[in-house]
């Protein structure tokens, strides 16, 4: 507890900071106005038809306009940060004693200085890192030029500030962040993810500031703050690498549009412009020259509408099973090898009707090529040069015209390669298709359980062929097609992206990672996920090694690192223990000591036209902001909403679909399990958790839906409760 004298000093300091903020805002606005006038003047002069200035003067004038624009943009960004600081000037203070001098360090969302003194340090600055990494006592930080400054933290303080008022001061000789965190977590959720700059934990801070590797993998349980860490890492990169990158150089791959909307507020809250967020599918659409049938949500719907352990499966299920697995990668590789001679144009080479180089010799030359990591097209270009050399030796220098003609013909053959045609050809011969897959099954030792029958393979072949004939490709084939495209022609490297962030990393297949590795082969990559939340069929990773190895394929000198978040913060102790029992490991992670209601398990009404979940949701909405009724599938969500038809309370509920773009807390959401990934709610009401809906094979899905709840979790079931809970 601070005394009156200290409290007055703190109030005076806040007053001084707000005064400096006001001055700096005025100064920045004046600068913006001045530069705006200069830009308008210079542009008017530059484009004035009566202006006879020479080209050099014109170019110099345009350069001035560009410089002025950059300064104006930077000043505008600074004003935005300062305006946020007016609402809450800073959130923490540490006193750092070094070399006999004690420096008070106030920490906020941005740096505030007047050119001489620092009043507030940006939370991303090296000196501010001590607040997150150390308790009272010995501490150190590393300066940008690599010097380690050692000393001692003699005071650690945290504030809740609203404008001119210090609402609360936490002052302790222990790590104060946990106290603030508990307070924050006890509050109600909103429809936007909030920043965590004032509650970042030590293990989270380590991930955020880790920037000395090319591929960073982060494993963390549900509620450990993985997405928040990802967003704050981006903010840190924009601060630490500001001379090299801007927001257009960073890309986030999100699981769906609702999730993207949910996290869209984090970066603006801490003074940074948003970066481009997209789903895997939305990003790669431009690389597909087919119409696409279906979506990822359709695949989830198909897969989770059926019981994994029961055969026969539907055509849709079997198509997913084949095309999401390693068998399909092997099929595409084998088919490319089968077509290699045709693609490379390996045949007898003739000149004036005479064979100058035989096909067998060309095959030998082709086999001698260094083919690792390069496309067939690139191999073909190498082969053309090699052939040209051998032909010139055979024909002699006097036949240079003939040699060039041969090289031109071979190059023209390469340029005519159409990956689309080759992919369609994969589905032109059913016997070949089935025999190749059966050969792969036998070669790889695939168990009978994981093999598809000839009848099932026939159905997949006919289904896919019929779509391809209509210039349409099934969604589950998209990644395979792009993989083939890269292997044959090479991918368009997305060089403008220098940092790629993949959230919910456990839910992407190896084929999808191969595509991402090809598209972003020069970018630094951070993947964040939880292996216990893997809900994508046939992407069952035991660890992240397989993913990391794919991402670093064909890249030299790649530095990798694996980081673990070991503590969860979202849910109460009771909800966490319940969720751990579902997975079968009560020691799988630590949790913050925040208690709440026990999980309620409720036998639902037997009448199909009613459900207790509705009345409970309406009652709970009186006390909480965000309520989600989580169904297993979209079909189940739609059916549940249909029960409310004619009910005057039906407008209080909204069914969330894959087409929704906005996360909203206005209504009680009825949301399928796979769309709830990454989201959190005050209350989660899990609908119909019976043994048929949640068999043992779907324990990870049940774990996901249960861990969406922050404060309260109700489980509803009809017939027999799932054995995952008993």
């Amino acid at each position: 507890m601070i005394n009156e004298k200290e409290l007055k000093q703190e109030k005076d300091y806040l007053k001084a900071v707000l005064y400096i903020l006001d001055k700096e805002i005025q100064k920045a606005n004046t600068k913006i106005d001045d530069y705006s006038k200069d830009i308008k003047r210079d542009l008017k002069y530059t484009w004035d038809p009566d202006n006879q200035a020479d080209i050099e003067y014109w170019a110099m004038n345009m350069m001035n306009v560009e410089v002025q624009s950059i300064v104006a943009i930077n000043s505008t960004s600074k004003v935005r940060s300062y305006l946020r600081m007016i609402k809450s000037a800073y959130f923490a203070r540490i006193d750092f004693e070094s070399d006999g001098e004690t420096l008070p360090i106030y920490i906020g969302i941005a740096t505030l200085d007047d050119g001489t003194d620092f009043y507030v340090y940006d939370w991303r600055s090296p000196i501010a890192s001590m607040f997150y990494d150390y308790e009272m006592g010995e501490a150190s930080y590393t300066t940008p030029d690599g010097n380690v400054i050692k000393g001692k933290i003699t005071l650690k303080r945290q504030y809740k500030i609203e404008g001119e008022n210090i609402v609360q001061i936490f002052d302790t000789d222990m790590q104060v962040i946990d106290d603030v965190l508990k307070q924050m977590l006890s509050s109600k959720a909103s429809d936007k993810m909030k920043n965590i700059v004032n509650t970042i934990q030590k293990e989270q801070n380590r991930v955020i500031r880790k920037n000395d590797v090319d591929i960073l993998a982060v494993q963390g349980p549900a509620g450990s703050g993985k997405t928040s860490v990802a967003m704050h890492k981006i903010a840190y990169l924009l601060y630490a690498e500001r001379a090299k990158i801007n927001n257009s150089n960073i890309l986030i791959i999100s699981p769906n549009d609702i999730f993207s909307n949910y996290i869209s507020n984090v970066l603006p809250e801490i003074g940074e412009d948003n970066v481009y967020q997209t789903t895997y599918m939305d990003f790669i659409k431009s690389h597909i020259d087919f119409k696409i049938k279906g979506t990822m949500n359709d695949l989830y719907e198909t897969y989770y509408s059926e019981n994994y352990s029961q055969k026969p499966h539907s055509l849709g299920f079997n198509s997913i099973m084949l095309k999401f697995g390693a068998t399909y990668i092997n099929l595409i590789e084998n088919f490319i090898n089968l077509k290699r001679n045709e693609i490379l144009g390996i045949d007898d080479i003739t000149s004036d009707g005479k064979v100058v180089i035989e096909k067998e010799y060309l095959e030998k030359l082709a086999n001698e090529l260094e083919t690792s990591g390069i496309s067939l097209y690139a191999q073909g270009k190498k082969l053309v040069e090699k052939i040209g050399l051998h032909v010139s030796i055979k024909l002699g220098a006097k036949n240079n015209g003939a040699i060039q003609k041969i090289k031109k013909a071979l190059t023209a053959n390469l340029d005519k390669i159409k990956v689309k045609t080759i992919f369609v050809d994969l589905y032109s011969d059913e016997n070949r298709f089935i025999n190749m897959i059966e050969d792969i099954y036998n070669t790889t030792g695939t168990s009978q359980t994981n093999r598809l029958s000839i009848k099932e393979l026939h159905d997949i072949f006919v289904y896919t062929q019929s779509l391809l004939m209509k210039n349409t490709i099934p969604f589950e084939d998209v990644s395979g097609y792009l993989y083939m495209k890269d292997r044959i022609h090479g991918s368009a490297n997305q060089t403008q992206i220098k940092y790629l962030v993949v959230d919910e990393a456990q839910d992407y297949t190896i084929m999808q990672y191969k595509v991402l590795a090809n598209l972003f082969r020069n970018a630094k990559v951070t993947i964040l996920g939880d292996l216990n939340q893997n809900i994508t069929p046939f992407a069952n990773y035991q660890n992240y090694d397989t993913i990391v190895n794919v991402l670093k394929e064909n890249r030299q000198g790649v530095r990798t690192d694996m980081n673990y978040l070991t503590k969860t913060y979202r849910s109460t102790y009771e909800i966490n223990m319940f969720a751990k029992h579902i997975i079968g490991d009560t020691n799988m992670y630590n949790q913050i000591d925040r208690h709440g209601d026990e999980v309620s398990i409720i036998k639902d009404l037997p009448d199909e036209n009613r459900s207790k979940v509705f009345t409970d949701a309406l009652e709970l909405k009186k006390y909480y902001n965000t309520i989600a009724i989580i169904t297993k599938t979209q079909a189940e969500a739609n059916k549940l909403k249909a029960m409310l038809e004619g009910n005057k309370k039906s407008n209080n509920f909204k069914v969330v679909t894959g087409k929704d773009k906005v996360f909203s807390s206005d209504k009680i959401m009825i949301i399928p399990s796979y769309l709830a990934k990454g989201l959190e709610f005050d209350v989660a009401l899990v609908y119909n958790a019976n043994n048929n809906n949640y068999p043992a094979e779907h324990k990870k899905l049940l774990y996901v839906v249960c861990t969406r709840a922050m404060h309260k979790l109700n489980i509803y079931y009809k017939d027999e409760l799932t054995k995952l809970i008993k």
Side-chain angles (χ1 to χ4, degrees):
M1 197 70 167
I2 67 171
N3 57 44
E4 286 296 321
K5 183 181 177 182
E6 286 180 303
L7 182 59
K8 184 178 183 308
Q9 289 172 343
E10 289 288 7
K11 288 180 177 179
D12 289 344
Y13 192 83
L14 175 60
K15 193 180 293 183
V17 168
L18 291 172
Y19 175 76
I20 299 296
L21 271 172
D22 187 60
K23 277 182 62 178
E24 291 300 310
I25 289 170
Q26 290 180 38
K27 193 188 299 181
N29 281 330
T30 301
K31 189 180 289 186
I32 293 167
D33 289 341
D34 290 344
Y35 275 109
S36 296
K37 291 173 185 174
D38 290 345
I39 291 168
K40 288 177 183 177
R41 182 198 64 218
D42 289 344
L43 284 174
K44 184 179 179 183
Y45 182 77
T46 301
W47 297 107
D48 190 338
D50 297 326
N51 179 18
Q52 300 299 313
D54 61 31
I55 191 68
E56 283 188 21
Y57 187 82
W58 182 90
M60 187 181 295
N61 221 37
M62 289 305 296
M63 192 180 296
N64 286 338
V65 168
E66 188 175 344
V67 170
Q68 291 161 350
S69 299
I70 293 170
V71 174
I73 291 168
N74 289 338
S75 296
T76 302
S77 178
K78 189 177 284 188
V79 168
R80 286 203 302 267
S81 294
Y82 287 164
L83 288 172
R84 289 185 180 90
M85 291 178 74
I86 289 285
K87 298 176 183 177
S88 183
Y90 44 84
F91 58 82
R93 169 187 169 182
I94 55 173
D95 286 3
F96 183 62
E97 183 185 310
S98 181
D99 293 332
E101 192 176 340
T102 300
L103 176 68
I105 302 161
Y106 286 82
I107 303 165
I109 63 166
T111 296
L112 176 66
D113 69 280
D114 60 4
T116 305
D117 297 314
F118 281 86
Y119 293 87
V120 180
Y121 289 83
D122 193 299
W123 67 274
R124 297 165 290 187
S125 63
I127 198 169
S129 67
M130 293 189 293
F131 171 72
Y132 303 107
D133 288 340
Y134 295 98
E135 298 179 7
M136 299 273 285
E138 301 295 324
S140 65
Y141 70 97
T142 304
T143 65
D145 57 6
N147 292 324
V148 178
I149 309 299
K150 296 181 178 181
K152 185 187 294 184
I153 295 175
T154 58
L155 176 73
K156 194 166 186 180
R157 185 170 286 173
Q158 198 157 356
Y159 311 85
K160 183 180 180 182
I161 293 174
E162 294 177 358
E164 299 177 353
N165 300 313
I166 300 177
V167 178
Q168 217 167 2
I169 297 180
F170 296 85
D171 200 6
T172 179
D173 60 356
M174 302 295 290
Q175 187 168 3
V176 70
I177 295 178
D178 273 353
D179 298 326
V180 179
L181 183 60
K182 285 180 188 179
Q183 197 176 79
M184 185 190 76
L185 293 174
S186 298
S187 63
K188 296 173 184 176
S190 69
D191 53 9
K192 294 288 186 187
M193 179 179 281
K194 301 296 184 183
N195 78 73
I196 59 169
V197 291
N198 59 336
T199 59
I200 293 171
Q201 304 294 288
K202 186 175 181 177
E203 63 180 17
Q204 295 173 329
N205 192 50
R206 184 174 62 247
V207 174
I208 289 169
R209 296 173 188 263
K210 187 76 174 175
N211 195 32
D212 58 352
V213 296
D214 302 293
I215 300 171
L216 176 64
V218 181
Q219 160 65 23
S224 57
K226 294 183 295 294
T227 302
S228 290
V229 165
M231 301 304 290
H232 288 73
K233 183 174 183 67
I234 290 168
Y236 175 76
L237 289 170
L238 290 169
Y239 173 88
E241 302 282 325
R242 55 189 178 276
K244 300 176 184 177
I245 65 167
N246 56 47
N247 61 324
S248 65
N249 302 131
I250 302 174
L251 175 66
I252 302 173
I253 303 290
S254 297
N256 52 60
D257 290 329
I258 296 173
F259 181 86
S260 294
N261 174 261
Y262 177 62
I263 66 176
S264 63
N265 203 49
V266 175
L267 286 173
E269 271 193 353
I270 48 183
E272 296 291 350
D273 292 330
N274 262 323
V275 301
Y276 183 43
Q277 298 179 56
T278 186
T279 64
Y280 172 84
M281 191 60 214
D282 283 344
F283 188 81
I284 64 173
K285 273 181 181 176
S286 61
H287 301 273
I288 306 294
D289 36 8
F290 288 101
K291 297 175 191 171
I292 300 170
K293 180 178 173 60
T295 65
M296 190 68 197
N297 292 335
D298 293 335
L299 296 187
Y300 283 131
E301 190 73 7
T302 298
Y303 181 75
Y304 284 112
S305 294
E306 301 181 32
N307 194 324
Y308 178 80
S309 63
Q310 294 177 355
K311 282 209 172 190
H313 301 307
S314 69
L315 169 60
F317 184 99
N318 290 330
S319 189
I320 299 168
M321 182 176 176
L322 174 66
K323 295 170 181 178
F324 270 25
T327 298
Y328 207 53
I329 295 176
N330 289 329
L331 175 66
I332 291 171
E333 284 287 352
N334 291 352
F335 190 68
I336 290 171
N337 288 333
L338 185 69
K339 305 290 287 185
R340 185 168 183 254
N341 283 3
E342 180 185 328
I343 293 169
L344 295 180
I346 294 177
D347 205 347
D348 292 339
I349 293 179
T350 62
S351 179
D352 295 330
K354 297 179 181 178
V355 175
V356 290
I357 294 191
E358 294 178 340
K359 177 182 177 182
E360 290 73 20
Y361 186 69
L362 283 186
E363 286 180 338
K364 181 176 178 294
L365 291 180
N367 291 334
E368 290 174 355
L369 291 171
E370 175 54 51
T371 61
S372 177
I374 64 172
S375 66
L376 273 184
Y377 181 82
Q379 293 176 42
K381 297 289 278 188
K382 283 187 175 186
L383 185 60
V384 168
E385 293 305 313
K386 208 167 187 177
I387 291 170
L389 179 63
H390 284 263
V391 173
S392 64
I393 294 170
K394 190 121 179 177
L395 297 182
K398 63 181 180 179
N399 291 295
N400 187 55
I403 296 166
Q404 293 305 316
K405 188 176 178 182
I406 290 169
K407 288 176 69 175
K408 188 176 179 181
L410 289 168
T411 301
N413 182 72
L414 281 174
D415 291 337
K416 286 191 294 186
I417 296 172
K418 300 289 185 188
V419 180
K420 189 174 182 177
T421 303
I422 297 169
F423 191 84
V424 170
D425 190 26
L426 175 61
Y427 288 91
S428 66
D429 185 329
E430 183 178 345
N431 287 332
R432 180 185 64 194
F433 176 83
I434 292 174
N435 289 336
M436 288 180 74
I437 290 175
E438 293 215 302
D439 284 345
I440 293 166
Y441 283 159
N442 294 331
T443 304
T444 57
T446 305
S447 68
Q448 290 298 322
T449 308
N450 292 323
R451 295 187 182 202
L452 295 173
S453 69
I454 290 176
K455 171 64 167 61
E456 290 168 328
L457 292 173
H458 162 80
D459 291 343
I460 292 171
F461 179 90
V462 172
Y463 165 72
T464 308
Q465 186 191 57
S466 65
L467 287 177
L468 293 175
M469 293 300 104
K470 300 172 186 173
N471 195 38
T472 302
I473 190 170
F475 177 86
E476 58 267 31
D477 268 302
V478 164
S479 294
Y481 174 62
L482 286 177
Y483 178 69
M484 177 183 280
K485 199 171 186 179
D486 180 74
R487 290 285 290 106
I488 293 174
H489 233 298
S491 296
N493 188 10
Q494 306 295 307
T495 55
Q496 79 280 13
I497 301 301
K498 297 178 180 179
Y499 289 88
L500 176 68
V501 178
V502 181
D503 205 354
E504 302 292 342
Q506 75 282 344
D507 282 323
Y508 296 90
T509 66
I510 287 301
M511 189 82 85
Q512 289 173 315
Y513 276 116
K514 284 182 176 289
V515 171
L516 291 174
N518 292 330
L519 288 172
F520 304 100
R521 62 178 69 97
N522 296 324
K524 287 188 174 184
V525 184
T526 296
I527 60 172
L528 307 99
D530 179 13
L531 298 176
N532 284 313
Q533 294 186 69
N534 187 340
I535 67 170
T536 298
F538 318 109
N540 297 318
Y541 305 109
Q542 300 305 307
N543 52 54
Y544 290 90
D545 292 351
T546 305
I547 299 172
V548 170
N549 287 335
V550 168
L551 291 173
K552 69 179 186 180
E553 279 179 2
N554 307 319
R555 295 173 66 173
Q556 300 299 315
V558 177
R559 300 161 299 172
T560 66
D561 194 32
M562 183 74 220
N563 274 245
Y564 295 89
L565 302 176
T566 60
K567 195 171 185 179
T568 183
Y569 307 97
R570 176 186 297 141
S571 306
T572 62
Y573 175 88
E574 290 75 15
I575 294 171
N576 275 316
M577 293 304 296
F578 183 86
K580 287 179 181 180
H581 276 290
I582 293 171
I583 293 296
D585 184 359
T586 56
N587 298 312
M588 59 192 288
Y589 54 79
N590 299 317
Q591 63 244 345
I592 196 163
D593 189 24
R594 184 174 69 88
H595 288 269
D597 295 339
E598 292 291 339
V599 176
S600 297
I601 300 174
I602 300 163
K603 178 83 172 181
D604 208 355
L605 298 169
D607 189 342
E608 285 295 321
N609 295 317
R610 293 182 295 153
S611 176
K612 192 173 185 307
V613 73
F614 296 127
T615 53
D616 287 354
L618 288 167
E619 182 63 24
L620 288 164
K621 189 63 175 169
K622 297 175 183 176
Y623 308 101
Y624 296 98
N625 287 340
T626 57
I627 312 283
I629 301 172
I630 306 177
T631 60
K632 189 178 183 185
T633 64
Q634 188 73 63
E636 193 172 55
N638 294 339
K639 184 179 177 182
L640 192 60
K641 182 66 163 64
M643 293 183 192
L644 289 167
E645 196 168 329
N647 190 310
K648 62 182 181 180
K649 299 284 189 178
S650 64
N651 287 335
N652 292 299
F653 298 83
K654 173 181 169 48
V655 173
V656 178
T657 73
K659 294 179 180 179
D660 285 304
K661 305 289 186 183
V662 178
F663 181 96
S664 175
S665 62
D666 291 344
K667 296 188 177 184
I668 297 164
M669 287 169 272
I670 305 175
I671 185 169
S673 56
Y674 48 83
L675 289 180
K677 278 197 309 180
L679 305 180
E680 61 184 27
F681 310 95
D682 286 324
V683 179
L685 309 176
V686 181
Y687 179 72
N688 201 15
N690 62 25
N691 207 43
N692 185 58
N693 232 14
Y694 288 98
E697 294 84 1
H698 294 168
K699 71 177 180 180
K700 289 184 177 180
L701 185 68
L702 184 59
Y703 172 76
V704 168
V705 300
C706 289
T707 53
R708 299 310 93 199
M710 290 179 63
H711 307 303
K712 189 167 182 61
L713 173 64
N714 287 4
I715 308 290
Y716 299 81
Y717 72 99
K718 295 180 180 183
D719 303 318
E720 185 182 2
L721 180 66
T722 173
K723 291 182 174 63
L724 292 168
I725 293 176
K726 290 182 176 179

